[in-house]
């Protein structure tokens, strides 16, 4: 019962973040930026990088907001829920998105990396975004990007690598059968 409640609360939190971002950005396409690899580096300029795996550095701009999350079970549940949201969004992303749709998804990912409820996880994700900036040119590319960055996290966690060739069929939510 408690596990199910935690899962529901995590899902509600992620949905709330998504709704907030949608409301905030839907009427102001001029405020949404396009992120290239150099833009991402500019957002996440490390002040110092530690040599251990526990600290990827303090960031001058765009640092994470949340503190560490010590509960390993909750951290794992949160991770599974977060990846489900990201992969499902990518799998349902437009086949040929316009510039506003690309920017909105990229902005969501960038803000998600700051707001993620596990500070240590968020800093690791931010460091990955510098190396692997979001690619949102199509549904296929967004899904492949999400799979590749997820595999980078799996590598750090010593989990098996997911085969990205069937990522779109694996993460379809089955929400509807509307044609694309």
């Amino acid at each position: 019962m408690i596990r199910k409640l935690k899962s529901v609360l995590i899902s509600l939190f992620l949905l709330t973040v998504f709704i907030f971002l949608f409301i905030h950005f839907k009427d102001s396409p001029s405020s949404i930026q396009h992120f290239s690899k150099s833009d991402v580096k500019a957002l996440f300029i490390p002040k110092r990088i530690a040599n251990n795996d526990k600290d990827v550095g303090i960031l001058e701009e765009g640092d994470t907001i949340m503190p560490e999350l010590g509960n390993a079970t909750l951290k794992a549940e949160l991770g599974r829920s977060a990846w489900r949201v990201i992969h499902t969004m990518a799998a349902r992303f437009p086949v040929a998105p316009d510039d506003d749709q690309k920017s909105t998804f990229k902005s969501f990912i960038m803000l998600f990396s700051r707001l993620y409820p596990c500070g240590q996880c968020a800093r690791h994700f931010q460091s990955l975004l510098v190396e692997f900036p979001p690619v949102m040119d199509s549904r296929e590319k967004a899904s492949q990007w999400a799979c590749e960055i997820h595999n980078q996290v799996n590598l750090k966690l010593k989990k098996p690598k997911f085969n990205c060739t069937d990522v779109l069929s694996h993460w379809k939510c089955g929400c509807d059968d509307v044609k694309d």
Side-chain angles (χ1 to χ4, degrees):
M1 179 69 175
I2 291 175
R3 186 170 188 207
K4 187 165 181 111
L5 179 62
K6 284 181 185 178
S7 181
V8 168
L9 290 175
I10 290 168
S11 297
L12 285 174
F13 170 79
L14 293 173
L15 181 61
T16 302
V17 169
F18 179 73
I19 291 170
F20 168 78
L21 294 172
F22 176 77
I23 291 169
H24 180 71
F25 286 120
K26 74 174 182 130
D27 294 327
S28 58
S30 62
S31 69
I32 299 172
Q33 298 180 9
H34 299 273
F35 294 104
S36 66
K37 192 169 187 175
S38 60
D39 292 331
V40 175
K41 285 182 181 177
L43 287 172
F44 303 120
I45 302 169
K47 202 183 273 183
R48 70 175 169 78
I49 301 288
N51 290 328
N52 59 40
D53 287 336
K54 294 180 182 170
D55 185 9
V56 295
I58 297 172
L59 305 173
E60 288 178 356
E61 292 182 24
D63 196 3
T64 60
I65 294 171
M66 305 296 176
E68 302 305 314
L69 184 60
N71 183 321
T73 303
L74 184 57
K75 191 185 289 189
E77 283 185 40
L78 178 65
R80 284 189 296 273
S81 297
W83 284 118
R84 182 168 190 84
V85 167
I86 290 171
H87 285 297
T88 303
M89 287 174 65
R92 295 188 47 78
F93 197 57
V95 173
D98 62 31
D99 288 342
D100 180 59
Q101 292 165 332
K102 293 176 197 178
S103 298
T104 302
F105 198 173
K106 286 180 184 181
S107 295
F108 172 81
I109 295 297
M110 303 309 284
L111 289 171
F112 187 78
S113 77
R114 293 192 65 206
L115 293 168
Y116 193 71
C118 168
Q120 177 185 11
C121 310
R123 283 190 296 282
H124 178 244
F125 192 60
Q126 285 184 336
S127 72
L128 290 174
L129 288 174
V130 171
E131 194 171 345
F132 305 97
V135 179
M136 305 297 164
D137 296 329
S138 67
R139 175 181 297 168
E140 176 70 31
K141 288 183 179 182
S143 293
Q144 288 300 313
W145 170 82
C147 186
E148 292 298 331
I149 202 161
H150 190 168
N151 276 334
Q152 292 299 315
V153 172
N154 285 345
L155 182 67
K156 177 165 175 67
L157 298 175
K158 297 177 176 48
K159 290 184 174 183
K161 192 174 181 180
F162 185 81
N163 180 354
C164 293
T165 57
D166 61 349
V167 69
L168 279 170
S169 62
H170 182 75
W171 289 103
K172 277 231 179 219
C173 75
C175 301
D176 58 34
D177 292 328
V178 175
K179 262 190 157 179
D180 296 325

